[in-house]
Amino acid sequence: MGNPSSEQPDTHPDTHPDTHPGTEHDPAGEVVEICRDLIRMDTSNYGDAEGPGERKAAEHVAALLDEVGISSRLYESEPGRTSVVAHWGGDGSRDDALLLHGHLDVVPAAAEDWQVDPFSGEVQDGYVWGRGAVDMKDFDAMLLSVVRARARAGRVPSRPVVLCFTADEEAGGHKGAEVLVRDHREEFDGVTEAVGEVGGFSTTVRGRRMYLIEAAEKGMAWMRLTARGRAGHGSMLNTDNAVTRLSGAVARIGAHEWPVRLTPTMQVLLAAVGDLAGVEATPENAPRLIEEFGGAARMLGAVISNTTNPTMLGAGYKVNVIPTEATAHVDGRFLPGFEDEFFATLAELTGEGVEIEFLSHQQPWETPYDGDLVDAMTRSLLAEDPDAVVAPYLMSGGTDAKHFRRLGMRSYGFAPLRLPDDLDFTALFHGVDERVPVDALEFGARVFDRFLDDV
């Protein structure tokens, strides 16, 4: 909408993107080009008022949908911070709608660190390179490619579908999904289930490909810690030093070894790994079973316990001046069902004289790994990769599902990718040289097309 304070949605422009000849009815036909086009649109989210915003990408998505007869609405929480919502499908036989959602923003990228321009969308060595290639313009492209091909072929799902592409997910969704849920919840009337990132990607355990479907997320506690003390000359005694007090708290928080805690989702996953390894999964051998995932253990090792990672420190302005204030930022993540333990322990570790301010405080969630939607995801994957294993996992980071679940939806992460055994996929999230295999994108589009046949 032209006026960000308006409650009315904006209508998208009439301009249409170029089509890609010969791909109109193939669900995987456009996925690579759409992914490249989205990567070329810099939607870097710096977590503040800086950055280009998502407007250009949102208008592009709206035009792609409009070209195949799907109308959409654009919502802006602030100038340039734009989300897209569209309604598709439904023949009147069902009133339980399905939400399919992705986000349009990406984290920043320093071009000098990359082998290629991070906003080039270059295809090289069988990969699409660029910021957002795995988080998550790949899934946006899969979804758009499948929907466009199905719309052109008249293969419209009988179940009502809400398509949503949001702003600001990389900074907690406060200017995107949170605004939609709070101010425009009528767009989601009737939605009972939701599918978005991060799941459906493969990893290899004991020579077997295993696809991980997200069924839970840790809660988020982004915190600013502040200690205050008595200013003074650096050469004199000072028993009320803010830097000393804060440093002690940060050191305790960063060094704390949180105990292993297995939620129902991780119990299912580790049982599947235990079957492959020939052992029974227990809390005691959980860390060892996590090692079976290779590079993915970086992420999965973080979801068998609460975690706290100090990320920023700030104090003082001159070496011989003791400042009155010192600050630190901590990224805390807590497991579903273990919130009380997390915050009680955090208070003990922080100690007296340090104030905790929450910059973002979002609840964890966990959806039972059962039901028709789970069956549809499993069948669609096994139809393309029959010898694989499919299991749920708990996501260490956060997604827009935290906001959409406030409307009562059962949520999952399912952006299917069949990945090479030697690709350290989880290192590419927010990493340098982010890239996704071309054949994985095409695989994902085929799987998601099968999935929509079955929901």
Side-chain angles (χ1 to χ4, degrees):
M1 51 199 172
N3 179 0
S5 65
S6 171
E7 287 300 312
Q8 295 301 314
D10 197 2
T11 56
H12 56 74
D14 292 330
T15 56
H16 297 155
D18 293 335
T19 59
H20 305 288
T23 62
E24 291 190 351
H25 299 134
D26 177 2
E30 295 185 306
V31 66
V32 171
E33 290 307 315
I34 293 175
C35 185
R36 297 181 71 194
D37 289 343
L38 289 172
I39 289 171
R40 292 182 185 119
M41 299 174 189
D42 182 357
T43 53
S44 297
N45 186 347
Y46 292 87
D48 52 24
E50 300 298 319
E54 301 84 1
R55 178 83 193 196
K56 183 176 180 180
E59 290 178 344
H60 181 70
V61 168
L64 286 170
L65 294 173
D66 181 69
E67 187 180 39
V68 294
I70 301 173
S71 61
S72 59
R73 286 169 289 281
L74 304 185
Y75 291 101
E76 277 195 348
S77 56
E78 295 177 3
R81 309 310 306 274
T82 315
S83 300
V84 186
V85 182
H87 292 253
W88 177 58
D91 61 6
S93 63
R94 300 181 61 171
D95 57 7
D96 57 331
L98 173 66
L99 171 64
L100 303 176
H101 63 96
H103 62 86
L104 297 174
D105 61 323
V106 297
V107 296
E112 61 271 18
D113 296 334
W114 287 56
Q115 296 182 49
V116 303
D117 181 342
F119 299 103
S120 66
E122 183 173 332
V123 175
Q124 180 177 295
D125 301 327
Y127 287 78
V128 178
W129 295 63
R131 179 58 86 215
V134 301
D135 188 13
M136 62 167 295
K137 290 178 177 179
D138 58 340
F139 181 61
D140 293 336
M142 286 183 223
L143 184 52
L144 289 163
S145 177
V146 169
V147 167
R148 281 164 58 84
R150 292 178 72 97
R152 283 172 166 147
R155 297 172 56 228
V156 179
S158 59
R159 185 177 189 179
V161 173
V162 179
L163 305 171
C164 187
F165 301 84
T166 61
D168 198 42
E169 189 275 346
E170 294 292 1
H174 305 297
K175 299 177 183 179
E178 182 178 289
V179 173
L180 293 176
V181 167
R182 185 188 67 223
D183 298 339
H184 307 288
R185 63 176 56 203
E186 72 281 356
E187 293 280 15
F188 309 101
D189 286 347
V191 174
T192 60
E193 295 174 309
V195 170
E197 60 171 352
V198 176
F201 61 91
S202 72
T203 184
T204 302
V205 176
R206 299 280 174 126
R208 292 285 298 278
R209 224 176 350 255
M210 178 178 285
Y211 290 90
L212 305 182
I213 295 175
E214 182 188 339
E217 284 181 11
K218 297 178 83 173
M220 178 191 297
W222 287 349
M223 298 168 282
R224 180 189 292 116
L225 275 55
T226 303
R228 295 178 177 84
R230 187 175 67 251
H233 199 289
S235 69
M236 300 181 185
L237 296 177
N238 190 323
T239 58
D240 189 19
N241 189 312
V243 176
T244 302
R245 185 176 299 113
L246 181 79
S247 298
V250 170
R252 290 189 297 272
I253 290 170
H256 183 68
E257 294 186 11
W258 294 87
V260 171
R261 299 285 188 255
L262 300 182
T263 70
T265 294
M266 291 304 292
Q267 289 173 12
V268 174
L269 175 61
L270 293 179
V273 177
D275 287 343
L276 295 177
V279 299
E280 180 182 356
T282 66
E284 290 71 30
N285 67 12
R288 190 166 70 253
L289 289 175
I290 290 293
E291 292 175 4
E292 297 279 354
F293 287 99
R298 178 187 299 104
M299 176 176 66
L300 295 172
V303 296
I304 56 174
S305 69
N306 295 324
T307 55
T308 42
N309 280 311
T311 55
M312 297 170 63
L313 288 169
Y317 52 89
K318 195 171 186 292
V319 67
N320 64 342
V321 177
I322 299 171
T324 58
E325 183 176 290
T327 62
H329 288 71
V330 175
D331 186 334
R333 309 283 174 145
F334 48 99
L335 296 166
F338 297 95
E339 298 94 322
D340 292 344
E341 178 184 64
F342 174 83
F343 288 106
T345 303
L346 180 68
E348 292 177 6
L349 294 172
T350 303
E352 297 293 330
V354 178
E355 173 188 321
I356 300 176
E357 175 190 0
F358 292 101
L359 306 178
S360 183
H361 185 184
Q362 299 185 33
Q363 293 303 308
W365 60 267
E366 190 160 25
T367 301
Y369 187 65
D370 57 24
D372 293 342
L373 204 65
V374 168
D375 292 343
M377 288 186 281
T378 301
R379 282 193 294 265
S380 65
L381 282 167
L382 296 181
E384 293 286 337
D385 196 351
D387 295 327
V389 176
V390 183
Y393 86 107
L394 194 159
M395 174 65 176
S396 62
T399 74
D400 281 336
K402 284 185 171 62
H403 299 294
F404 292 125
R405 276 185 59 88
R406 290 165 52 198
L407 299 180
M409 305 172 192
R410 286 169 56 99
S411 294
Y412 297 96
F414 185 59
L417 294 170
R418 183 173 58 202
L419 300 169
D421 295 349
D422 59 352
L423 178 66
D424 190 356
F425 181 64
T426 58
L428 298 177
F429 284 83
H430 298 188
V432 172
D433 292 334
E434 184 179 350
R435 61 197 183 277
V436 64
V438 168
D439 59 2
L441 279 173
E442 294 168 345
F443 170 88
R446 293 194 305 270
V447 170
F448 211 81
D449 186 51
R450 289 181 181 274
F451 169 68
L452 288 182
D453 279 336
D454 207 11
V455 297

